[in-house]
Amino acid sequence: MQFRYPLLPSVPKQEDLLHLTPYVHTLIQKGFTVILERTQGDPTYPWLNMKFNPIDGKEFAADDPVRGKGRVYSWIQGRGLEALAEYYWYGLHYDLIKKDSPEEAQLLKVIRMVSTSLWKSWKEQGGHLYFTIPWVDREGDRAGTLEQRLVPKAEVELGSVLNEGRELYTYSDVFCSRGLYLAAIVLGNKRMVEKARNYCIDTLAAVWEGRIYNDQISFDPRNPITPIPGRVSHAPYMLMIPTVSHLYQFAEKESNRDDWFEEGLRLIQYVLEHHANLPEKDSTRFSDLEPYAFLEYVDTEGNPYITHLNGENYILCDPGHALEFVGIAITFLQNKLKRSSIHSDSYTRLKDTSAMSDALFRVFEQNFRIGFQEAL
């Protein structure tokens, strides 16, 4: 598959972006066409099927313990379901998908299938989802798991995420709850909308109460993600912003919508205050770091967390995660702006976030500068 497109000037104008829109739409359609066609290629496989090398197009071996079809990753399924739902609305709005067409039917069929599979796994696993999902193949053999599906129990009990006797949630719950919520809305199933909505709200409560942990399994020792006592990540707060954005967008009452907007601001402000090196009166919050540096982790006292790798001490600052946070936060604020009348109280409230918007821009500017490698 080849895709050619015009290059934008270094400082694009509005007309330059509009000229690029048809090319972007073509790229979006091609990408989702691949996903839909592959997923429906095997009627015995009830998941999004991306088990191939996107560079050369070759299938991964069925018995590959990491990339094979027996290894179902909930993050891919949950985020994929969210993307399919958003593509459904976007496609209808921009005439990329025709109403009552075979393309629409195909898309709805896949959304229904993956949603059903996720809910089934959610029930089997006690009302939660985890990084890998057990799957029984066509011969009836349960796909083998990695060393463990869950973070080892002893590590969770030692971690700062543990609250004795209280229910723990996972990052997989974050991704899958919002995917299931949007899927239920697309499918028009009011009962499942309410069920998924409660799943989202319960996951949000777990984030604020410290009852959530990263259940991802790392395949790279340079990516230290296993929960560690005293180490606090920005990730769950950042990742809940899109969920709150969806709850805001689809709230039935305007008063509820205002509440969800305030909740989104609260999440953004939390990340900025705890993980961005914002300026203070005489210096920055962390005087040894550059202004607007974005800390991957802090300790329980709010200070930079020291990571020990290969005999050296590091403060991890991930430019990619910083830019992801800014993009998520700005999208949330823009969605609010689109829905607000210029004379409304909510529009006035949005104008009050100008300092927040400026901080987001500075975080973007700093982390793009240190993360961008022109030679690549």
Side-chain angles (χ1 to χ4, degrees):
M1 179 188 296
Q2 291 186 336
F3 181 73
R4 299 185 181 279
Y5 53 91
L7 295 177
L8 289 172
S10 58
V11 183
K13 298 178 180 179
Q14 182 72 17
E15 54 265 29
D16 297 318
L17 299 176
L18 291 175
H19 178 64
L20 196 62
T21 299
Y23 296 90
V24 174
H25 282 173
T26 298
L27 182 60
I28 291 172
Q29 284 181 300
K30 286 181 179 292
F32 279 100
T33 297
V34 170
I35 295 171
L36 294 170
E37 289 181 350
R38 286 188 54 82
T39 298
Q40 294 195 102
D42 182 357
T44 68
Y45 193 70
W47 303 102
L48 296 177
N49 178 10
M50 301 305 293
K51 304 296 187 176
F52 78 111
N53 188 326
I55 296 176
D56 59 22
K58 295 181 179 179
E59 297 286 326
F60 292 129
D63 59 353
D64 187 314
V66 174
R67 300 177 180 85
K69 291 173 72 174
R71 180 73 56 225
V72 179
Y73 296 102
S74 64
W75 291 22
I76 292 174
Q77 303 301 318
R79 299 178 92 167
L81 198 55
E82 178 186 16
L84 289 172
E86 294 190 316
Y87 175 60
Y88 176 76
W89 290 312
Y90 188 91
L92 290 176
H93 180 77
Y94 288 100
D95 209 28
L96 307 182
I97 303 170
K98 302 292 184 183
K99 190 69 176 173
D100 300 321
S101 66
E103 292 77 16
E104 182 195 26
Q106 180 189 44
L107 180 53
L108 292 174
K109 180 180 179 181
V110 170
I111 290 174
R112 184 176 292 106
M113 178 188 71
V114 176
S115 179
T116 299
S117 297
L118 273 179
W119 277 124
K120 182 180 178 181
S121 296
W122 175 86
K123 183 177 180 180
E124 290 175 345
Q125 299 182 97
H128 292 284
L129 285 157
Y130 302 96
F131 188 63
T132 60
I133 298 173
W135 180 67
V136 179
D137 65 18
R138 70 189 74 188
E139 281 78 31
D141 295 329
R142 182 173 290 277
T145 61
L146 297 172
E147 287 74 12
Q148 291 193 30
R149 268 192 305 107
L150 310 182
V151 172
K153 188 172 186 292
E155 293 183 9
V156 173
E157 289 180 342
L158 288 172
S160 59
V161 296
L162 179 70
N163 286 267
E164 190 68 34
R166 295 202 289 170
E167 186 177 9
L168 294 177
Y169 281 70
T170 66
Y171 285 17
S172 297
D173 286 320
V174 174
F175 296 127
C176 293
S177 61
R178 69 170 179 251
L180 288 166
Y181 179 56
L182 293 193
I185 294 171
V186 165
L187 298 173
N189 188 326
K190 292 185 178 180
R191 182 178 68 85
M192 299 309 292
V193 167
E194 187 62 21
K195 182 177 179 179
R197 181 177 178 275
N198 289 335
Y199 186 15
C200 291
I201 293 172
D202 290 344
T203 304
L204 177 63
V207 169
W208 284 121
E209 294 169 10
R211 296 184 291 108
I212 192 163
Y213 68 94
N214 186 355
D215 58 326
Q216 182 182 3
I217 298 172
S218 176
F219 302 110
D220 185 344
R222 295 170 299 178
N223 184 22
I225 55 176
T226 301
I228 294 176
R231 188 178 73 177
V232 182
S233 172
H234 66 88
Y237 303 92
M238 174 185 77
L239 295 174
M240 285 306 300
I241 297 170
T243 301
V244 169
S245 183
H246 297 321
L247 292 168
Y248 162 81
Q249 182 179 358
F250 294 105
E252 294 183 355
K253 297 180 180 179
E254 193 64 35
S255 58
N256 292 342
R257 188 170 289 120
D258 290 341
D259 290 341
W260 286 123
F261 176 63
E262 292 297 328
E263 187 69 15
L265 293 182
R266 182 184 175 203
L267 288 164
I268 296 170
Q269 193 62 38
Y270 176 91
V271 177
L272 285 173
E273 288 183 355
H274 290 80
H275 292 271
N277 192 25
L278 300 179
E280 296 182 342
K281 289 183 179 179
D282 301 318
S283 178
T284 57
R285 184 166 174 236
F286 309 120
S287 57
D288 293 337
L289 301 177
E290 292 188 56
Y292 300 102
F294 191 81
L295 281 67
E296 193 74 3
Y297 303 107
V298 295
D299 62 23
T300 53
E301 301 299 321
N303 299 310
Y305 182 84
I306 306 300
T307 297
H308 307 285
L309 287 175
N310 302 321
E312 300 287 342
N313 294 333
Y314 296 92
I315 297 173
L316 299 183
C317 300
D318 188 326
H321 282 166
L323 301 188
E324 180 184 10
F325 163 64
V326 172
I328 287 173
I330 291 296
T331 299
F332 173 80
L333 295 174
Q334 285 184 330
N335 287 342
K336 174 65 174 178
L337 183 61
K338 291 176 183 177
R339 299 186 68 102
S340 300
S341 165
I342 195 169
H343 300 296
S344 66
D345 292 339
S346 58
Y347 184 82
T348 301
R349 178 70 181 94
L350 189 59
K351 289 175 64 178
D352 293 340
T353 65
S354 58
M356 176 184 287
S357 298
D358 181 69
L360 289 169
F361 174 75
R362 302 299 178 188
V363 170
F364 173 87
E365 188 176 47
Q366 162 68 5
N367 289 274
F368 184 80
R369 181 183 65 80
I370 64 175
F372 180 65
Q373 300 180 45
E374 189 171 4
L376 299 178

